[in-house]
Short mmCIF file of all heavy atoms in Angstrom, two decimals:
data_model
loop_
_atom_site.label_atom_id
_atom_site.label_comp_id
_atom_site.label_asym_id
_atom_site.label_seq_id
_atom_site.Cartn_x
_atom_site.Cartn_y
_atom_site.Cartn_z
N PHE A 232 31.59 -140.14 -88.75
CA PHE A 232 32.27 -141.04 -89.67
C PHE A 232 33.74 -140.64 -89.84
O PHE A 232 34.54 -141.39 -90.36
CB PHE A 232 31.57 -141.06 -91.05
CG PHE A 232 31.73 -139.76 -91.84
CD1 PHE A 232 32.78 -139.62 -92.73
CD2 PHE A 232 30.83 -138.71 -91.69
CE1 PHE A 232 32.93 -138.45 -93.46
CE2 PHE A 232 30.99 -137.56 -92.42
CZ PHE A 232 32.03 -137.40 -93.31
N ARG A 233 34.08 -139.43 -89.33
CA ARG A 233 35.47 -138.96 -89.40
C ARG A 233 36.24 -139.54 -88.24
O ARG A 233 35.74 -139.55 -87.10
CB ARG A 233 35.52 -137.44 -89.36
CG ARG A 233 34.79 -136.73 -90.49
CD ARG A 233 34.78 -135.23 -90.29
NE ARG A 233 34.05 -134.83 -89.10
CZ ARG A 233 34.03 -133.60 -88.60
NH1 ARG A 233 34.71 -132.65 -89.22
NH2 ARG A 233 33.34 -133.34 -87.51
N SER A 234 37.45 -139.99 -88.49
CA SER A 234 38.22 -140.66 -87.46
C SER A 234 39.40 -139.83 -86.99
O SER A 234 40.14 -140.27 -86.11
CB SER A 234 38.72 -142.02 -87.95
OG SER A 234 39.46 -141.85 -89.13
N ASN A 235 39.59 -138.63 -87.52
CA ASN A 235 40.73 -137.80 -87.10
C ASN A 235 40.68 -137.57 -85.59
O ASN A 235 39.62 -137.29 -85.02
CB ASN A 235 40.67 -136.45 -87.82
CG ASN A 235 40.59 -136.60 -89.32
OD1 ASN A 235 39.57 -136.98 -89.86
ND2 ASN A 235 41.68 -136.26 -90.00
N LEU A 236 41.85 -137.67 -84.97
CA LEU A 236 41.91 -137.46 -83.52
C LEU A 236 41.48 -136.04 -83.16
O LEU A 236 40.90 -135.81 -82.08
CB LEU A 236 43.33 -137.73 -83.00
CG LEU A 236 43.90 -139.15 -83.29
CD1 LEU A 236 45.25 -139.30 -82.62
CD2 LEU A 236 42.93 -140.23 -82.79
N ALA A 237 41.71 -135.09 -84.07
CA ALA A 237 41.33 -133.68 -83.81
C ALA A 237 39.85 -133.46 -83.72
O ALA A 237 39.38 -132.44 -83.23
CB ALA A 237 41.94 -132.79 -84.87
N VAL A 238 39.05 -134.40 -84.26
CA VAL A 238 37.58 -134.27 -84.23
C VAL A 238 36.92 -135.36 -83.39
O VAL A 238 35.77 -135.70 -83.61
CB VAL A 238 36.98 -134.22 -85.66
CG1 VAL A 238 37.45 -132.98 -86.38
CG2 VAL A 238 37.33 -135.49 -86.42
N GLY A 239 37.68 -135.90 -82.43
CA GLY A 239 37.08 -136.83 -81.49
C GLY A 239 37.34 -138.29 -81.76
O GLY A 239 36.77 -139.14 -81.03
N GLY A 240 38.15 -138.63 -82.76
CA GLY A 240 38.47 -140.05 -82.97
C GLY A 240 39.36 -140.59 -81.87
O GLY A 240 39.96 -139.81 -81.10
N SER A 241 39.43 -141.89 -81.80
CA SER A 241 40.30 -142.52 -80.80
C SER A 241 41.31 -143.42 -81.53
O SER A 241 41.08 -143.86 -82.66
CB SER A 241 39.49 -143.36 -79.81
OG SER A 241 38.77 -144.38 -80.50
N ALA A 242 42.45 -143.70 -80.87
CA ALA A 242 43.49 -144.46 -81.50
C ALA A 242 43.63 -145.82 -80.82
O ALA A 242 43.33 -145.97 -79.65
CB ALA A 242 44.82 -143.72 -81.40
N GLU A 243 44.09 -146.79 -81.64
CA GLU A 243 44.36 -148.12 -81.09
C GLU A 243 45.56 -148.73 -81.79
O GLU A 243 45.95 -148.30 -82.88
CB GLU A 243 43.14 -149.03 -81.27
CG GLU A 243 42.80 -149.33 -82.74
CD GLU A 243 41.62 -150.25 -82.88
OE1 GLU A 243 40.95 -150.56 -81.90
OE2 GLU A 243 41.36 -150.71 -84.05
N LYS A 244 46.17 -149.71 -81.14
CA LYS A 244 47.32 -150.41 -81.69
C LYS A 244 46.89 -151.15 -82.97
O LYS A 244 45.75 -151.61 -83.08
CB LYS A 244 47.85 -151.38 -80.66
CG LYS A 244 49.13 -152.14 -81.06
CD LYS A 244 49.60 -153.00 -79.93
CE LYS A 244 50.80 -153.87 -80.34
NZ LYS A 244 52.00 -153.01 -80.63
N THR A 245 47.81 -151.28 -83.90
CA THR A 245 47.44 -151.95 -85.16
C THR A 245 48.67 -152.58 -85.81
O THR A 245 49.81 -152.33 -85.38
CB THR A 245 46.83 -150.92 -86.15
OG1 THR A 245 46.26 -151.60 -87.25
CG2 THR A 245 47.88 -149.92 -86.64
N GLU A 246 48.43 -153.40 -86.82
CA GLU A 246 49.46 -153.98 -87.68
C GLU A 246 49.11 -153.64 -89.13
O GLU A 246 47.94 -153.37 -89.46
CB GLU A 246 49.53 -155.48 -87.50
CG GLU A 246 49.84 -155.94 -86.08
CD GLU A 246 51.27 -155.65 -85.65
OE1 GLU A 246 52.13 -155.48 -86.57
OE2 GLU A 246 51.53 -155.58 -84.42
N LEU A 247 50.07 -153.69 -90.00
CA LEU A 247 49.83 -153.37 -91.41
C LEU A 247 49.32 -154.59 -92.13
O LEU A 247 49.77 -155.71 -91.91
CB LEU A 247 51.12 -152.88 -92.10
CG LEU A 247 51.74 -151.59 -91.57
CD1 LEU A 247 52.77 -151.08 -92.58
CD2 LEU A 247 50.70 -150.50 -91.30
N THR A 248 48.39 -154.34 -93.06
CA THR A 248 47.90 -155.40 -93.95
C THR A 248 48.89 -155.54 -95.10
O THR A 248 49.76 -154.69 -95.34
CB THR A 248 46.53 -155.07 -94.49
OG1 THR A 248 46.63 -153.90 -95.35
CG2 THR A 248 45.54 -154.78 -93.37
N ALA A 249 48.73 -156.65 -95.86
CA ALA A 249 49.59 -156.86 -97.02
C ALA A 249 49.41 -155.73 -98.05
O ALA A 249 50.35 -155.24 -98.66
CB ALA A 249 49.27 -158.20 -97.68
N ARG A 250 48.14 -155.25 -98.21
CA ARG A 250 47.88 -154.15 -99.12
C ARG A 250 48.55 -152.86 -98.65
O ARG A 250 49.11 -152.13 -99.47
CB ARG A 250 46.34 -153.94 -99.20
CG ARG A 250 45.89 -152.66 -99.83
CD ARG A 250 45.96 -152.72 -101.33
NE ARG A 250 45.16 -151.61 -101.92
CZ ARG A 250 44.92 -151.46 -103.18
NH1 ARG A 250 45.36 -152.33 -104.05
NH2 ARG A 250 44.17 -150.46 -103.63
N GLU A 251 48.54 -152.59 -97.35
CA GLU A 251 49.17 -151.40 -96.83
C GLU A 251 50.69 -151.47 -97.03
O GLU A 251 51.32 -150.43 -97.33
CB GLU A 251 48.82 -151.22 -95.35
CG GLU A 251 47.39 -150.78 -95.13
CD GLU A 251 46.93 -150.97 -93.71
OE1 GLU A 251 47.55 -151.72 -92.95
OE2 GLU A 251 45.88 -150.35 -93.35
N ARG A 252 51.26 -152.63 -96.88
CA ARG A 252 52.73 -152.76 -97.14
C ARG A 252 53.00 -152.52 -98.61
O ARG A 252 54.06 -151.93 -98.96
CB ARG A 252 53.18 -154.12 -96.67
CG ARG A 252 53.14 -154.31 -95.16
CD ARG A 252 53.97 -155.46 -94.66
NE ARG A 252 53.93 -155.50 -93.19
CZ ARG A 252 54.70 -154.75 -92.42
NH1 ARG A 252 55.58 -153.91 -92.94
NH2 ARG A 252 54.59 -154.87 -91.11
N GLU A 253 52.12 -153.00 -99.46
CA GLU A 253 52.29 -152.75 -100.90
C GLU A 253 52.27 -151.24 -101.21
O GLU A 253 53.07 -150.74 -102.00
CB GLU A 253 51.19 -153.45 -101.68
CG GLU A 253 51.27 -153.27 -103.19
CD GLU A 253 50.07 -153.83 -103.93
OE1 GLU A 253 49.15 -154.41 -103.27
OE2 GLU A 253 50.03 -153.71 -105.18
N ILE A 254 51.34 -150.53 -100.56
CA ILE A 254 51.25 -149.07 -100.74
C ILE A 254 52.53 -148.42 -100.27
O ILE A 254 53.12 -147.55 -100.96
CB ILE A 254 50.03 -148.53 -99.97
CG1 ILE A 254 48.73 -149.00 -100.62
CG2 ILE A 254 50.07 -146.98 -99.93
CD1 ILE A 254 47.50 -148.70 -99.78
N CYS A 255 53.01 -148.78 -99.06
CA CYS A 255 54.20 -148.18 -98.55
C CYS A 255 55.45 -148.48 -99.42
O CYS A 255 56.30 -147.60 -99.63
CB CYS A 255 54.45 -148.67 -97.11
SG CYS A 255 53.22 -148.07 -95.92
N ASP A 256 55.53 -149.69 -99.94
CA ASP A 256 56.64 -150.05 -100.83
C ASP A 256 56.62 -149.22 -102.09
O ASP A 256 57.67 -148.87 -102.65
CB ASP A 256 56.57 -151.53 -101.17
CG ASP A 256 56.94 -152.45 -100.01
OD1 ASP A 256 57.52 -151.92 -99.02
OD2 ASP A 256 56.64 -153.65 -100.08
N ALA A 257 55.40 -148.89 -102.57
CA ALA A 257 55.27 -148.07 -103.81
C ALA A 257 55.67 -146.64 -103.53
O ALA A 257 56.31 -145.97 -104.38
CB ALA A 257 53.85 -148.16 -104.32
N LEU A 258 55.29 -146.11 -102.37
CA LEU A 258 55.55 -144.70 -102.06
C LEU A 258 56.99 -144.46 -101.58
O LEU A 258 57.56 -143.40 -101.89
CB LEU A 258 54.62 -144.21 -100.95
CG LEU A 258 53.28 -143.58 -101.33
CD1 LEU A 258 52.41 -144.56 -102.09
CD2 LEU A 258 52.57 -143.05 -100.11
N GLY A 259 57.55 -145.38 -100.82
CA GLY A 259 58.79 -145.12 -100.11
C GLY A 259 59.91 -144.56 -100.93
O GLY A 259 60.51 -143.54 -100.56
N PRO A 260 60.30 -145.16 -102.08
CA PRO A 260 61.44 -144.63 -102.81
C PRO A 260 61.22 -143.19 -103.31
O PRO A 260 62.16 -142.39 -103.31
CB PRO A 260 61.54 -145.60 -104.00
CG PRO A 260 60.93 -146.87 -103.49
CD PRO A 260 59.82 -146.44 -102.59
N GLU A 261 59.99 -142.85 -103.68
CA GLU A 261 59.69 -141.49 -104.15
C GLU A 261 59.78 -140.49 -103.02
O GLU A 261 60.25 -139.37 -103.18
CB GLU A 261 58.35 -141.45 -104.86
CG GLU A 261 58.00 -140.11 -105.46
CD GLU A 261 58.93 -139.65 -106.57
OE1 GLU A 261 59.74 -140.48 -107.09
OE2 GLU A 261 58.86 -138.46 -106.95
N LEU A 262 59.27 -140.85 -101.85
CA LEU A 262 59.35 -139.97 -100.67
C LEU A 262 60.80 -139.67 -100.35
O LEU A 262 61.18 -138.52 -100.10
CB LEU A 262 58.66 -140.59 -99.49
CG LEU A 262 57.18 -140.92 -99.63
CD1 LEU A 262 56.64 -141.57 -98.36
CD2 LEU A 262 56.35 -139.65 -99.95
N LYS A 263 61.64 -140.71 -100.36
CA LYS A 263 63.06 -140.54 -100.05
C LYS A 263 63.71 -139.63 -101.09
O LYS A 263 64.49 -138.74 -100.76
CB LYS A 263 63.73 -141.90 -99.99
CG LYS A 263 65.18 -141.87 -99.56
CD LYS A 263 65.76 -143.28 -99.51
CE LYS A 263 67.22 -143.28 -99.06
NZ LYS A 263 67.36 -142.90 -97.67
N ARG A 264 63.40 -139.88 -102.37
CA ARG A 264 64.02 -139.12 -103.43
C ARG A 264 63.65 -137.63 -103.31
O ARG A 264 64.50 -136.77 -103.60
CB ARG A 264 63.53 -139.65 -104.80
CG ARG A 264 64.25 -138.99 -105.99
CD ARG A 264 63.60 -139.41 -107.29
NE ARG A 264 62.27 -138.80 -107.48
CZ ARG A 264 62.08 -137.55 -107.88
NH1 ARG A 264 63.12 -136.76 -108.12
NH2 ARG A 264 60.88 -137.07 -108.04
N ARG A 265 62.45 -137.35 -102.89
CA ARG A 265 61.98 -135.94 -102.78
C ARG A 265 62.44 -135.25 -101.49
O ARG A 265 62.13 -134.08 -101.29
CB ARG A 265 60.47 -135.90 -102.86
CG ARG A 265 59.88 -136.25 -104.22
CD ARG A 265 58.38 -136.05 -104.21
NE ARG A 265 57.73 -136.41 -105.46
CZ ARG A 265 56.73 -135.72 -106.00
NH1 ARG A 265 56.29 -134.64 -105.43
NH2 ARG A 265 56.20 -136.14 -107.13
N GLY A 266 63.09 -135.95 -100.62
CA GLY A 266 63.51 -135.34 -99.34
C GLY A 266 62.38 -135.19 -98.38
O GLY A 266 62.41 -134.31 -97.49
N LEU A 267 61.36 -136.02 -98.50
CA LEU A 267 60.20 -136.00 -97.59
C LEU A 267 60.53 -137.00 -96.48
O LEU A 267 60.12 -138.17 -96.54
CB LEU A 267 58.93 -136.33 -98.35
CG LEU A 267 58.56 -135.30 -99.41
CD1 LEU A 267 57.43 -135.82 -100.29
CD2 LEU A 267 58.16 -133.96 -98.76
N ILE A 268 61.19 -136.54 -95.45
CA ILE A 268 61.74 -137.42 -94.39
C ILE A 268 60.65 -137.91 -93.46
O ILE A 268 60.64 -139.08 -93.05
CB ILE A 268 62.83 -136.68 -93.62
CG1 ILE A 268 64.08 -136.49 -94.54
CG2 ILE A 268 63.23 -137.45 -92.36
CD1 ILE A 268 65.20 -135.69 -93.91
N PHE A 269 59.69 -137.04 -93.09
CA PHE A 269 58.63 -137.39 -92.14
C PHE A 269 57.29 -137.24 -92.86
O PHE A 269 56.86 -136.14 -93.17
CB PHE A 269 58.72 -136.45 -90.92
CG PHE A 269 57.66 -136.66 -89.88
CD1 PHE A 269 56.83 -137.77 -89.86
CD2 PHE A 269 57.52 -135.74 -88.88
CE1 PHE A 269 55.85 -137.93 -88.89
CE2 PHE A 269 56.54 -135.86 -87.89
CZ PHE A 269 55.71 -136.97 -87.90
N VAL A 270 56.65 -138.35 -93.12
CA VAL A 270 55.42 -138.41 -93.90
C VAL A 270 54.40 -139.29 -93.17
O VAL A 270 54.75 -140.34 -92.61
CB VAL A 270 55.66 -138.96 -95.32
CG1 VAL A 270 54.34 -139.16 -96.05
CG2 VAL A 270 56.57 -138.01 -96.09
N GLY A 271 53.15 -138.88 -93.16
CA GLY A 271 52.08 -139.72 -92.61
C GLY A 271 51.06 -139.97 -93.68
O GLY A 271 50.50 -139.00 -94.28
N ILE A 272 50.79 -141.23 -94.00
CA ILE A 272 49.78 -141.55 -94.99
C ILE A 272 48.54 -142.11 -94.28
O ILE A 272 48.63 -142.66 -93.19
CB ILE A 272 50.29 -142.56 -96.06
CG1 ILE A 272 50.52 -143.95 -95.47
CG2 ILE A 272 51.52 -142.02 -96.73
CD1 ILE A 272 50.79 -145.04 -96.50
N ASP A 273 47.38 -141.92 -94.91
CA ASP A 273 46.11 -142.37 -94.35
C ASP A 273 45.51 -143.46 -95.22
O ASP A 273 45.39 -143.25 -96.45
CB ASP A 273 45.15 -141.19 -94.19
CG ASP A 273 45.64 -140.15 -93.22
OD1 ASP A 273 46.46 -140.49 -92.36
OD2 ASP A 273 45.22 -138.99 -93.34
N VAL A 274 45.16 -144.58 -94.62
CA VAL A 274 44.60 -145.72 -95.36
C VAL A 274 43.34 -146.18 -94.64
O VAL A 274 43.37 -146.47 -93.44
CB VAL A 274 45.61 -146.87 -95.45
CG1 VAL A 274 45.03 -148.03 -96.27
CG2 VAL A 274 46.94 -146.42 -96.09
N ILE A 275 42.26 -146.29 -95.38
CA ILE A 275 40.95 -146.69 -94.83
C ILE A 275 40.73 -148.18 -95.06
O ILE A 275 40.97 -148.66 -96.17
CB ILE A 275 39.80 -145.86 -95.39
CG1 ILE A 275 39.92 -144.40 -94.90
CG2 ILE A 275 38.44 -146.43 -95.02
CD1 ILE A 275 38.85 -143.50 -95.45
N ALA A 276 40.26 -148.86 -94.02
CA ALA A 276 39.86 -150.28 -94.10
C ALA A 276 40.96 -151.17 -94.62
O ALA A 276 40.69 -152.17 -95.27
CB ALA A 276 38.61 -150.42 -94.96
N GLY A 277 42.18 -150.79 -94.36
CA GLY A 277 43.32 -151.65 -94.71
C GLY A 277 43.70 -151.65 -96.18
O GLY A 277 44.60 -152.38 -96.55
N GLN A 278 43.03 -150.82 -97.01
CA GLN A 278 43.29 -150.95 -98.44
C GLN A 278 43.21 -149.65 -99.25
O GLN A 278 43.74 -149.60 -100.34
CB GLN A 278 42.37 -151.96 -99.07
CG GLN A 278 40.88 -151.64 -98.92
CD GLN A 278 39.99 -152.70 -99.62
OE1 GLN A 278 40.36 -153.24 -100.67
NE2 GLN A 278 38.89 -153.02 -98.99
N TRP A 279 42.51 -148.59 -98.77
CA TRP A 279 42.27 -147.42 -99.59
C TRP A 279 43.12 -146.23 -99.13
O TRP A 279 42.89 -145.68 -98.05
CB TRP A 279 40.78 -147.06 -99.54
CG TRP A 279 39.88 -148.13 -100.06
CD1 TRP A 279 38.99 -148.89 -99.33
CD2 TRP A 279 39.74 -148.56 -101.43
NE1 TRP A 279 38.32 -149.77 -100.16
CE2 TRP A 279 38.76 -149.59 -101.44
CE3 TRP A 279 40.34 -148.17 -102.61
CZ2 TRP A 279 38.38 -150.24 -102.61
CZ3 TRP A 279 39.98 -148.82 -103.78
CH2 TRP A 279 39.00 -149.83 -103.79
N LEU A 280 44.06 -145.82 -99.95
CA LEU A 280 44.90 -144.67 -99.65
C LEU A 280 44.14 -143.40 -99.94
O LEU A 280 43.59 -143.22 -101.03
CB LEU A 280 46.17 -144.73 -100.55
CG LEU A 280 47.14 -143.55 -100.46
CD1 LEU A 280 47.80 -143.50 -99.10
CD2 LEU A 280 48.18 -143.65 -101.56
N THR A 281 44.05 -142.48 -98.94
CA THR A 281 43.30 -141.25 -99.12
C THR A 281 44.15 -139.99 -99.08
O THR A 281 43.82 -138.99 -99.73
CB THR A 281 42.18 -141.16 -98.08
OG1 THR A 281 42.75 -141.16 -96.75
CG2 THR A 281 41.16 -142.27 -98.23
N GLU A 282 45.27 -140.00 -98.31
CA GLU A 282 46.10 -138.79 -98.22
C GLU A 282 47.56 -139.19 -98.01
O GLU A 282 47.86 -140.21 -97.41
CB GLU A 282 45.65 -137.88 -97.04
CG GLU A 282 44.31 -137.25 -97.22
CD GLU A 282 43.99 -136.19 -96.15
OE1 GLU A 282 44.96 -135.71 -95.52
OE2 GLU A 282 42.83 -135.89 -95.97
N ILE A 283 48.45 -138.28 -98.49
CA ILE A 283 49.87 -138.40 -98.17
C ILE A 283 50.23 -137.06 -97.48
O ILE A 283 50.32 -136.01 -98.15
CB ILE A 283 50.72 -138.61 -99.44
CG1 ILE A 283 50.25 -139.86 -100.20
CG2 ILE A 283 52.17 -138.70 -99.11
CD1 ILE A 283 50.92 -140.04 -101.53
N ASN A 284 50.37 -137.06 -96.18
CA ASN A 284 50.57 -135.85 -95.42
C ASN A 284 52.05 -135.50 -95.29
O ASN A 284 52.82 -136.25 -94.70
CB ASN A 284 49.98 -136.04 -94.00
CG ASN A 284 48.46 -136.27 -94.07
OD1 ASN A 284 47.71 -135.31 -94.12
ND2 ASN A 284 48.06 -137.51 -94.06
N VAL A 285 52.44 -134.36 -95.87
CA VAL A 285 53.85 -133.98 -95.89
C VAL A 285 54.10 -132.60 -95.24
O VAL A 285 55.24 -132.27 -94.98
CB VAL A 285 54.38 -133.93 -97.34
CG1 VAL A 285 54.18 -135.29 -98.04
CG2 VAL A 285 53.78 -132.82 -98.16
N THR A 286 53.05 -131.82 -94.98
CA THR A 286 53.26 -130.49 -94.47
C THR A 286 53.68 -130.49 -93.00
O THR A 286 54.73 -130.05 -92.64
CB THR A 286 52.01 -129.60 -94.67
OG1 THR A 286 50.85 -130.30 -94.19
CG2 THR A 286 51.82 -129.28 -96.13
N SER A 287 52.80 -131.04 -92.15
CA SER A 287 53.12 -131.11 -90.71
C SER A 287 52.48 -132.39 -90.16
O SER A 287 51.53 -132.32 -89.35
CB SER A 287 52.59 -129.87 -90.00
OG SER A 287 52.95 -129.90 -88.61
N PRO A 288 52.94 -133.58 -90.61
CA PRO A 288 52.29 -134.81 -90.19
C PRO A 288 52.41 -135.05 -88.69
O PRO A 288 53.30 -134.54 -88.02
CB PRO A 288 53.04 -135.88 -90.98
CG PRO A 288 54.30 -135.26 -91.43
CD PRO A 288 54.06 -133.81 -91.52
N THR A 289 51.47 -135.83 -88.17
CA THR A 289 51.38 -136.13 -86.76
C THR A 289 51.29 -137.64 -86.55
O THR A 289 51.34 -138.41 -87.48
CB THR A 289 50.15 -135.47 -86.13
OG1 THR A 289 48.97 -135.99 -86.77
CG2 THR A 289 50.19 -133.96 -86.31
N GLY A 290 51.17 -138.05 -85.31
CA GLY A 290 50.94 -139.45 -84.97
C GLY A 290 52.04 -140.15 -84.25
O GLY A 290 51.89 -141.27 -83.77
N ILE A 291 53.22 -139.51 -84.14
CA ILE A 291 54.38 -140.28 -83.62
C ILE A 291 54.27 -140.50 -82.12
O ILE A 291 54.76 -141.53 -81.64
CB ILE A 291 55.71 -139.57 -83.97
CG1 ILE A 291 55.86 -138.21 -83.30
CG2 ILE A 291 55.86 -139.44 -85.48
CD1 ILE A 291 57.21 -137.57 -83.58
N VAL A 292 53.57 -139.64 -81.39
CA VAL A 292 53.43 -139.83 -79.96
C VAL A 292 52.52 -141.04 -79.67
O VAL A 292 52.83 -141.86 -78.82
CB VAL A 292 52.88 -138.57 -79.27
CG1 VAL A 292 52.66 -138.83 -77.79
CG2 VAL A 292 53.84 -137.39 -79.48
N ALA A 293 51.42 -141.12 -80.42
CA ALA A 293 50.51 -142.25 -80.25
C ALA A 293 51.19 -143.58 -80.63
O ALA A 293 50.98 -144.59 -79.95
CB ALA A 293 49.24 -142.04 -81.07
#
Side-chain angles (χ1 to χ4, degrees):
F232 71 91
R233 300 174 297 172
S234 57
N235 305 72
L236 302 184
V238 294
S241 60
E243 65 178 9
K244 184 178 175 65
T245 191
E246 301 290 338
L247 298 194
T248 66
R250 167 78 164 187
E251 287 165 342
R252 293 197 177 277
E253 180 187 359
I254 292 170
C255 292
D256 288 345
L258 268 63
E261 183 64 12
L262 299 179
K263 185 179 181 70
R264 186 188 71 80
R265 291 186 182 220
L267 296 169
I268 291 176
F269 178 12
V270 173
I272 69 171
D273 296 336
V274 182
I275 291 178
Q278 60 179 322
W279 298 111
L280 176 66
T281 58
E282 293 189 19
I283 303 173
N284 296 276
V285 304
T286 50
S287 183
T289 61
I291 65 176
V292 177

